[in-house]
Amino acid sequence: MTHAQTRAPLQHPRHDEPSLFRLAGLPYFLIAFIARLPFAMMVVGVLTVVVAARGSLSLGGLTSAAVGLGTACFGPLLGAAADRFGQRTVLLVLALANGGMLAVFTVVVYGSAADGFVLLAAVGIGATAPQVAPLSRSRLVTIIRERMPVGRRDRTLSGTMAYESAADETVFVFGPFLVGILASALAPWAPLIGAAALTVVFVGAFALHPTGRHVSQERDSSGRAPSGVSELFRAQLLIVVVGILGVGVFFGAMLTSLTSFMADRGAPEQAGLLYGVMGVGSAVLALGVAWLPPAFSLRARWLVFSGILLAGTVLLGFVDSPATMTIALAVMGVGIGPTLVTQYSFGAARSPRGRSATVMTMLGSGIVVGQSLGAAVTGELAESAGTAAALVLPMVAAAIAFAAGAANWFLSGRATPAERTTA
């Protein structure tokens, strides 16, 4: 298939300056949003079914971490495959493979297989997980770069990263909620079977959407990128990965330590409600990033908003009730959403030519790895040393994100001319 053929669905705008919404179409955004849900349901769904079927919270935690391990190891490779062969083929294979692995895992966990096979099946779920969010970002970034007028690209890119981050926040709040509803109303295995069905149907639809045919103009006729793999390891890009890893650790550490905090007060089931305070605020502020003035540069935004996040975590040292915890979470919500949007914006700006899907899946995997690591370490610390010790870890994670932002401030001075327009 030639590049002219692959670009056909995105051509023929009705006027000289089409909007991204018109280029992609309303069905695209609806499909891409629902297609994210299975990924948000997997980790919590795996934990729920393992605890119910095997009666072990420890094994449940390890199994959830195994899902994250599979995603971390294979996510960037799948992104590279999407860059090389196009998203459509890769996503169709993953939709079927992941749906199958979710079903296999359910059979294994309820069977008599050893715990090792349960963990291996969990790695398989993570390894085949279609990372719709990073690939959606990559797809939209490519459209913006190649279909929109130069003067509108920066503003549109900022708005797109804001929307994508807000969509992620919404899905990762709603996903666990949906798991709880299905597990309570039907059975512990229901969330995983539901996730399998959503994966096959909606990830398949995401793959088959006309934008899925689009191959970057920066790739040659054989699909090779003009940039070498070594460009993925530049300091300016790696610092973004470190920063987003810190955000992932924060997510895992905060939810786990909050659960411990509420368990001390006899209401662990209310942790999700309080966490939603931060999630909703984060999503709203993430959307607001698109309206920030251009003079408020990306590198300044990273420092300012990660600083607000860090200040919110410092308040954790003084919380003594659900009310004061809610205040701290609200402050953190102001910082976390815009920080995440800014980091993804830097990732888009610094992606080597023809490798945007690889970079976006690197960042998406950083979130997953950080979240799994943060949850595992915080859970162990809460059990062995208590809630007060566990509440220190979100502060450490926020400090990592802030320190990466400070390093990025100086690295941005060595950015390319294209990067300087947004840095």
Side-chain angles (χ1 to χ4, degrees), residues 330-342:
V331 174
M332 287 182 269
V334 172
I336 190 66
T339 298
L340 195 59
V341 172
T342 303

Side-chain angles (χ1 to χ4, degrees), residues 162-196:
Y163 162 76
E164 289 285 319
S165 296
D168 286 347
E169 293 275 359
T170 303
V171 164
F172 274 96
V173 169
F174 184 68
F177 178 70
L178 184 58
V179 168
I181 291 177
L182 291 174
S184 301
L186 298 176
W189 50 261
L192 291 187
I193 299 304

Side-chain angles (χ1 to χ4, degrees), residues 292-298 300-301 423:
L292 292 174
F296 190 8
S297 67
L298 284 181
R301 293 178 196 179

